[in-house]
């Protein structure tokens, strides 16, 4: 007589133990995304000196930071470089710098975006250039969300809008 026959309680115990061990191995092998702590964000210096503090009532909900601008004069002519607010997303802050020449967006660069782990780097390696292309084409913050990079796209759009508001306001 075999000890692991079909109706044996020992068989059930062995199968339950193997299933539990397999489940624990799978659970422990997950590598969850870690978000930066608030203290770590406060220690990061601002990339551009602020000439005017943001009002904070722009309805951006959860965004913070400063909007600074530098360039040649305060008029719509010439070239201006404007940095938008740093927008806190689920995976980290996103901040955009816009170059305006005679009121037209000529360059956009992401000053800050999530790149803490390989997955963030993979997503943003295609999302940030796509968002930049869309911005240059649309000439506004009315751009589409990049599939697979929803949080980065939202933060990019909000930071871009704050930069454009600072430049035109």
């Amino acid at each position: 007589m075999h000890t692991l026959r079909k109706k044996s309680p020992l068989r059930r115990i062995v199968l339950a133990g193997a299933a539990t061990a397999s489940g624990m191995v799978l659970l422990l092998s997950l590598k969850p995304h870690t978000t930066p702590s608030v203290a770590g964000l406060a220690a990061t210096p601002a990339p551009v000196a602020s000439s005017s503090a943001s009002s904070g009532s722009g309805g951006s909900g959860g965004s913070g930071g400063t909007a600074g601008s530098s360039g040649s004069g305060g008029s719509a002519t010439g070239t201006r470089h404007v940095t938008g607010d740093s927008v806190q997303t689920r995976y980290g802050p996103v901040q955009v710098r816009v170059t305006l020449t005679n009121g037209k967006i000529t360059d956009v660069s992401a000053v800050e975006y999530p790149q803490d782990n390989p997955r963030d780097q993979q997503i943003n390696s295609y999302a940030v250039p796509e968002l930049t292309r869309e911005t240059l084409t649309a000439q506004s913050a009315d751009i589409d969300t990049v599939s697979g990079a929803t949080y980065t796209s939202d933060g990019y759009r909000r930071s871009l809008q704050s930069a454009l508001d600072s430049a035109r306001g």
Side-chain angles (χ1 to χ4, degrees), residues 79-120:
T79 300
R80 296 185 68 197
H81 304 283
V82 184
T83 303
D85 291 344
S86 179
V87 178
Q88 184 63 40
T89 68
R90 179 176 176 180
Y91 298 106
V94 178
Q95 189 172 28
V96 177
R97 178 175 295 133
V98 181
T99 302
L100 296 156
T101 304
N102 297 326
K104 183 178 178 184
I105 300 173
T106 56
D107 188 34
V108 182
S109 61
V111 176
E112 187 177 22
Y113 54 92
Q115 49 190 344
D116 293 338
N117 62 51
R119 182 68 177 142
D120 287 344

Coordinates of all heavy atoms in Angstrom, one line a residue, residues 79-120:
T79 N 14.4 85.0 -27.3 CA 14.4 83.6 -26.8 C 14.3 83.6 -25.3 O 15.0 84.3 -24.7 CB 15.7 82.9 -27.3 OG1 15.7 82.9 -28.7 CG2 15.7 81.4 -26.8
R80 N 13.4 82.8 -24.8 CA 13.2 82.6 -23.4 C 13.3 81.1 -23.0 O 12.7 80.3 -23.7 CB 11.8 83.2 -22.9 CG 11.7 84.6 -23.2 CD 10.4 85.2 -22.6 NE 10.4 85.1 -21.1 CZ 9.4 85.1 -20.4 NH1 8.2 85.3 -20.9 NH2 9.5 85.1 -19.1
H81 N 13.9 80.9 -21.9 CA 13.9 79.5 -21.3 C 13.1 79.5 -20.1 O 13.5 80.3 -19.1 CB 15.4 79.1 -21.0 CG 16.3 79.2 -22.2 ND1 16.3 78.2 -23.2 CD2 17.2 80.1 -22.6 CE1 17.1 78.6 -24.2 NE2 17.7 79.7 -23.8
V82 N 12.1 78.7 -20.0 CA 11.2 78.7 -18.8 C 11.1 77.3 -18.3 O 10.9 76.4 -19.0 CB 9.8 79.2 -19.2 CG1 8.9 79.3 -17.9 CG2 9.9 80.6 -19.9
T83 N 11.3 77.2 -17.0 CA 11.2 75.9 -16.3 C 9.9 75.8 -15.6 O 9.5 76.7 -14.8 CB 12.3 75.7 -15.3 OG1 13.6 75.8 -16.0 CG2 12.3 74.3 -14.7
G84 N 9.1 74.7 -15.8 CA 7.8 74.6 -15.2 C 7.9 74.0 -13.8 O 9.0 73.7 -13.3
D85 N 6.8 73.9 -13.1 CA 6.7 73.4 -11.8 C 7.2 71.9 -11.8 O 7.0 71.2 -12.8 CB 5.3 73.4 -11.2 CG 4.8 74.8 -11.0 OD1 5.6 75.7 -10.9 OD2 3.6 75.0 -10.9
S86 N 7.8 71.5 -10.7 CA 8.1 70.1 -10.5 C 6.8 69.4 -10.0 O 6.3 69.7 -8.9 CB 9.2 70.0 -9.4 OG 9.5 68.6 -9.2
V87 N 6.3 68.5 -10.8 CA 5.0 67.8 -10.5 C 5.3 66.5 -9.9 O 6.0 65.7 -10.6 CB 4.2 67.7 -11.8 CG1 2.9 67.0 -11.5 CG2 3.9 69.1 -12.4
Q88 N 4.8 66.2 -8.7 CA 5.0 64.9 -8.1 C 4.0 63.9 -8.7 O 2.8 64.1 -8.6 CB 4.9 65.1 -6.6 CG 5.2 63.8 -5.8 CD 6.6 63.4 -6.0 OE1 7.5 64.2 -5.9 NE2 6.8 62.1 -6.1
T89 N 4.6 62.8 -9.2 CA 3.7 61.7 -9.7 C 3.9 60.5 -8.8 O 4.7 60.5 -7.9 CB 4.1 61.3 -11.2 OG1 5.4 60.7 -11.2 CG2 4.0 62.6 -12.1
R90 N 3.2 59.5 -9.1 CA 3.3 58.3 -8.3 C 4.7 57.7 -8.3 O 5.1 57.1 -7.3 CB 2.3 57.2 -8.8 CG 2.3 55.9 -8.1 CD 1.2 55.0 -8.7 NE 1.3 53.7 -8.0 CZ 0.5 52.7 -8.3 NH1 -0.4 52.9 -9.2 NH2 0.6 51.6 -7.7
Y91 N 5.4 57.8 -9.4 CA 6.7 57.2 -9.5 C 7.9 58.2 -9.3 O 9.0 57.8 -9.5 CB 6.8 56.5 -10.8 CG 5.8 55.3 -10.9 CD1 4.7 55.4 -11.7 CD2 6.0 54.2 -10.1 CE1 3.8 54.4 -11.7 CE2 5.1 53.2 -10.1 CZ 4.0 53.3 -10.9 OH 3.0 52.3 -11.0
G92 N 7.6 59.5 -9.1 CA 8.6 60.5 -8.9 C 8.3 61.8 -9.6 O 7.3 61.9 -10.3
P93 N 9.1 62.8 -9.4 CA 8.8 64.1 -9.9 C 9.1 64.2 -11.4 O 9.9 63.5 -11.9 CB 9.7 65.0 -9.1 CG 10.9 64.1 -8.7 CD 10.3 62.8 -8.5
V94 N 8.3 65.1 -12.1 CA 8.5 65.4 -13.5 C 8.6 66.9 -13.6 O 7.7 67.6 -13.1 CB 7.3 64.8 -14.3 CG1 7.5 65.2 -15.8 CG2 7.2 63.3 -14.2
Q95 N 9.6 67.4 -14.3 CA 9.7 68.8 -14.5 C 10.2 69.1 -15.9 O 11.1 68.3 -16.4 CB 10.7 69.4 -13.5 CG 10.8 70.9 -13.5 CD 11.6 71.5 -12.4 OE1 12.5 70.8 -11.9 NE2 11.3 72.7 -11.9
V96 N 9.7 70.1 -16.6 CA 9.9 70.4 -18.0 C 10.5 71.8 -18.2 O 10.1 72.7 -17.5 CB 8.6 70.2 -18.8 CG1 8.9 70.6 -20.3 CG2 8.1 68.8 -18.7
R97 N 11.5 71.9 -19.1 CA 12.0 73.3 -19.4 C 11.6 73.5 -20.9 O 11.9 72.7 -21.7 CB 13.5 73.3 -19.2 CG 14.1 74.7 -19.6 CD 15.6 74.8 -19.4 NE 15.8 74.7 -17.9 CZ 16.7 74.0 -17.4 NH1 17.5 73.2 -18.1 NH2 16.9 74.0 -16.0
V98 N 11.1 74.7 -21.2 CA 10.6 75.0 -22.5 C 11.5 76.2 -23.0 O 11.8 77.1 -22.3 CB 9.1 75.5 -22.5 CG1 8.7 75.8 -23.9 CG2 8.3 74.4 -21.9
T99 N 11.8 76.2 -24.3 CA 12.5 77.3 -24.9 C 11.5 77.9 -25.9 O 11.0 77.2 -26.8 CB 13.8 76.8 -25.7 OG1 14.6 76.2 -24.8 CG2 14.5 78.0 -26.4
L100 N 11.2 79.2 -25.7 CA 10.3 79.9 -26.6 C 11.1 80.9 -27.4 O 11.9 81.7 -26.8 CB 9.2 80.6 -25.8 CG 8.3 79.7 -25.0 CD1 7.7 80.4 -23.8 CD2 7.2 79.1 -25.9
T101 N 10.9 80.9 -28.7 CA 11.5 81.9 -29.6 C 10.4 82.6 -30.3 O 9.6 82.0 -31.1 CB 12.5 81.2 -30.6 OG1 13.4 80.5 -29.9 CG2 13.2 82.3 -31.4
N102 N 10.3 83.9 -30.0 CA 9.3 84.8 -30.6 C 7.9 84.2 -30.3 O 7.0 84.2 -31.2 CB 9.5 85.0 -32.1 CG 10.8 85.7 -32.4 OD1 11.2 86.6 -31.6 ND2 11.4 85.4 -33.5
G103 N 7.7 83.6 -29.1 CA 6.4 83.1 -28.8 C 6.1 81.7 -29.2 O 5.1 81.1 -28.9
K104 N 7.0 81.1 -30.0 CA 6.8 79.7 -30.5 C 7.7 78.7 -29.7 O 8.9 79.1 -29.4 CB 7.2 79.7 -32.0 CG 7.0 78.4 -32.6 CD 7.3 78.4 -34.1 CE 7.1 77.0 -34.7 NZ 7.5 77.0 -36.1
I105 N 7.2 77.6 -29.4 CA 7.9 76.6 -28.7 C 9.0 76.0 -29.7 O 8.6 75.4 -30.7 CB 7.0 75.4 -28.1 CG1 6.0 76.0 -27.2 CG2 7.9 74.4 -27.5 CD1 5.0 75.0 -26.7
T106 N 10.2 76.2 -29.4 CA 11.3 75.7 -30.3 C 12.0 74.5 -29.7 O 12.7 73.7 -30.4 CB 12.3 76.8 -30.6 OG1 12.8 77.3 -29.4 CG2 11.7 77.8 -31.4
D107 N 12.0 74.3 -28.3 CA 12.6 73.2 -27.7 C 12.0 72.9 -26.4 O 11.5 73.8 -25.7 CB 14.1 73.5 -27.5 CG 14.9 72.2 -27.0 OD1 14.5 71.1 -27.4 OD2 15.8 72.4 -26.2
V108 N 11.9 71.6 -26.0 CA 11.4 71.2 -24.8 C 12.3 70.1 -24.2 O 12.7 69.2 -25.0 CB 9.9 70.6 -24.9 CG1 9.4 70.2 -23.6 CG2 9.0 71.5 -25.6
S109 N 12.6 70.2 -23.0 CA 13.5 69.1 -22.4 C 12.9 68.8 -21.0 O 12.5 69.6 -20.3 CB 14.9 69.5 -22.3 OG 15.0 70.7 -21.5
A110 N 13.0 67.5 -20.7 CA 12.5 67.0 -19.4 C 13.7 67.2 -18.4 O 14.7 66.5 -18.6 CB 12.0 65.6 -19.4
V111 N 13.6 68.1 -17.5 CA 14.7 68.4 -16.6 C 14.8 67.2 -15.5 O 15.8 66.8 -15.2 CB 14.5 69.7 -15.9 CG1 15.5 69.9 -14.8 CG2 14.5 70.8 -16.8
E112 N 13.6 66.8 -15.1 CA 13.5 65.8 -14.1 C 12.4 64.8 -14.4 O 11.3 65.3 -14.8 CB 13.2 66.5 -12.8 CG 13.3 65.6 -11.6 CD 13.1 66.5 -10.3 OE1 12.5 67.6 -10.4 OE2 13.4 66.0 -9.2
Y113 N 12.6 63.5 -14.3 CA 11.6 62.5 -14.6 C 12.0 61.2 -13.9 O 13.2 61.0 -13.6 CB 11.3 62.3 -16.1 CG 12.5 62.0 -16.9 CD1 12.9 60.7 -17.1 CD2 13.3 63.0 -17.5 CE1 14.0 60.3 -17.9 CE2 14.4 62.7 -18.2 CZ 14.7 61.3 -18.4 OH 15.8 61.0 -19.2
P114 N 11.1 60.3 -13.6 CA 11.4 59.1 -12.9 C 12.4 58.3 -13.6 O 12.3 58.0 -14.8 CB 10.1 58.4 -12.8 CG 9.0 59.4 -12.9 CD 9.6 60.4 -13.8
Q115 N 13.5 57.9 -13.0 CA 14.5 57.0 -13.5 C 15.3 56.3 -12.5 O 16.5 56.0 -12.6 CB 15.5 57.9 -14.4 CG 16.1 59.1 -13.8 CD 16.8 60.0 -14.8 OE1 17.1 59.5 -15.9 NE2 17.1 61.2 -14.4
D116 N 14.5 56.0 -11.4 CA 15.2 55.3 -10.2 C 15.5 53.8 -10.5 O 16.3 53.3 -9.8 CB 14.3 55.4 -9.0 CG 14.2 56.9 -8.5 OD1 15.1 57.6 -8.8 OD2 13.2 57.2 -7.8
N117 N 14.7 53.2 -11.3 CA 14.9 51.7 -11.5 C 14.9 51.4 -13.0 O 14.5 52.3 -13.8 CB 13.9 50.9 -10.8 CG 12.5 51.2 -11.2 OD1 12.2 51.1 -12.4 ND2 11.6 51.4 -10.2
P118 N 15.3 50.2 -13.4 CA 15.3 49.9 -14.9 C 14.0 50.0 -15.6 O 13.9 50.4 -16.7 CB 15.8 48.5 -14.9 CG 16.6 48.3 -13.6 CD 15.9 49.2 -12.6
R119 N 12.9 49.7 -14.9 CA 11.6 49.8 -15.5 C 11.2 51.3 -15.8 O 10.7 51.6 -16.9 CB 10.5 49.2 -14.6 CG 9.1 49.2 -15.2 CD 9.0 48.3 -16.4 NE 7.7 48.3 -16.9 CZ 7.3 48.2 -18.1 NH1 8.2 48.1 -19.1 NH2 6.1 48.2 -18.5
D120 N 11.5 52.2 -14.9 CA 11.3 53.6 -15.1 C 12.1 54.1 -16.3 O 11.7 54.8 -17.2 CB 11.7 54.5 -13.9 CG 10.7 54.3 -12.8 OD1 9.6 53.9 -13.0 OD2 11.1 54.7 -11.6

